[in-house]
Amino acid sequence: DAKTTQPPSMDCAEGRAANLPCNHSTISGNEYVYWYRQIHSQGPQYIIHGLKNNETNEMASLIITEDRKSSTLILPHATLRDTAVYYCIVRVRGSQGNLIFGKGTKLSVKP
Amino acid sequence: DGGITQSPKYLFRKEGQNVTLSCEQNLNHDAMYWYRQDPGQGLRLIYYSQIVNDFQKGDIAEGYSVSREKKESFPLTVTSAQKNPTAFYLCASSSLAGTKSSYNEQFFGPGTRLTVL
């Protein structure tokens, strides 16, 4: 699975959009980009995934660059409950084995 | 409600004692996983299982053992051979490759925080 790079921490004002970047310059053609988040002392929670098109669901939007070497997770209206560590992971969809979680980005939403 | 349960949430043990962490899922998932998380770090895979009565070592299996006698259950034993067992332990499950549901994303339990005194 390709390696990802994320900033260690970010702040966001409550009600504003939170844009979390992820670099995955070695991603291969059949690897998807997945995002999970982990609220303190809880298990990680799946957010969204995509291959090359932008994706949106009830939690977030995922923007993937045309060359697929980077992506951005967007929380359109961040709330205090969105404070968590956000993990960007790339892997072949449907492949078995573990998810490789790096250190992620700690997002702090402030009032 | 469907989901994954881990018990207990907090567990204290004396050094040198074996301890077993419970993980149960009612999602009808074939694959189950155990991860370990240390403060400020990502998750590291201990063991995983894709089918009943079969399991594979992950990156840090030394000092741990598992069993998969039932599809719903994947208990993890932390043995006295594990040199630094104090950590947050997470269990996850997923459907197998090729199945339609959930795009094979992993669903995680709430975790067990083990402290060895």
Side-chain angles (χ1 to χ4, degrees):
Chain A
D1 293 334
K3 181 182 166 66
T4 62
T5 305
Q6 299 176 252
S9 64
M10 292 182 65
D11 290 341
C12 177
E14 187 178 18
R16 302 297 295 269
N19 298 300
L20 293 95
C22 179
N23 287 322
H24 31 78
S25 58
T26 60
I27 192 170
S28 59
N30 62 346
E31 286 183 314
Y32 284 67
V33 180
Y34 288 79
W35 282 85
Y36 282 74
R37 74 178 182 183
Q38 186 176 22
I39 295 170
H40 182 63
S41 293
Q42 297 183 22
Q45 175 190 23
Y46 165 82
I47 301 173
I48 199 167
H49 74 281
L51 181 63
K52 55 183 178 181
N53 298 319
N54 298 339
E55 302 288 343
T56 296
N57 64 20
E58 65 277 6
M59 289 183 68
S61 295
L62 174 60
I63 309 298
I64 302 174
T65 57
E66 194 167 341
D67 64 8
R68 303 207 327 119
K69 292 185 177 182
S70 66
S71 60
T72 301
L73 179 75
I74 301 173
L75 307 179
H77 305 286
T79 70
L80 299 179
R81 287 176 293 182
D82 291 322
T83 292
V85 178
Y86 288 77
Y87 297 98
C88 169
I89 299 163
V90 293
R91 72 196 300 250
V92 176
R93 176 180 161 183
S95 63
Q96 292 307 304
N98 59 305
L99 296 171
I100 299 176
F101 286 80
K103 295 185 180 181
T105 296
K106 180 172 172 52
L107 175 69
S108 298
V109 181
K110 300 179 186 293
Chain B
D1 289 325
I4 301 178
T5 56
Q6 292 184 243
S7 60
K9 188 167 177 65
Y10 298 95
L11 189 57
F12 296 88
R13 279 294 180 270
K14 291 183 179 179
E15 195 171 343
Q17 289 182 332
N18 291 357
V19 60
T20 297
L21 281 59
S22 165
C23 178
E24 304 277 334
Q25 55 97 1
N26 60 6
L27 300 167
N28 199 33
H29 285 165
D30 289 289
M32 296 187 74
Y33 310 81
W34 274 106
Y35 293 88
R36 169 185 171 137
Q37 187 175 35
D38 293 286
Q41 303 297 313
L43 280 66
R44 292 184 291 167
L45 182 70
I46 305 172
Y47 269 97
Y48 69 101
S49 167
Q50 296 184 12
I51 194 169
V52 173
N53 292 324
D54 188 45
F55 45 83
Q56 286 77 43
K57 292 182 179 180
D59 300 321
I60 54 165
E62 185 176 351
Y64 299 97
S65 66
V66 292
S67 63
R68 188 85 187 278
E69 296 177 3
K70 297 186 300 181
K71 186 176 182 178
E72 303 79 22
S73 178
F74 191 41
L76 173 74
T77 297
V78 184
T79 75
S80 56
Q82 167 51 232
K83 290 183 173 50
N84 187 18
T86 294
F88 187 46
Y89 290 88
L90 287 156
C91 179
S93 70
S94 70
S95 56
L96 279 178
T99 58
K100 186 176 177 182
S101 65
S102 307
Y103 301 101
N104 308 116
E105 75 256 24
Q106 293 186 12
F107 292 83
F108 285 81
T112 292
R113 190 168 298 280
L114 173 65
T115 302
V116 175
L117 306 170

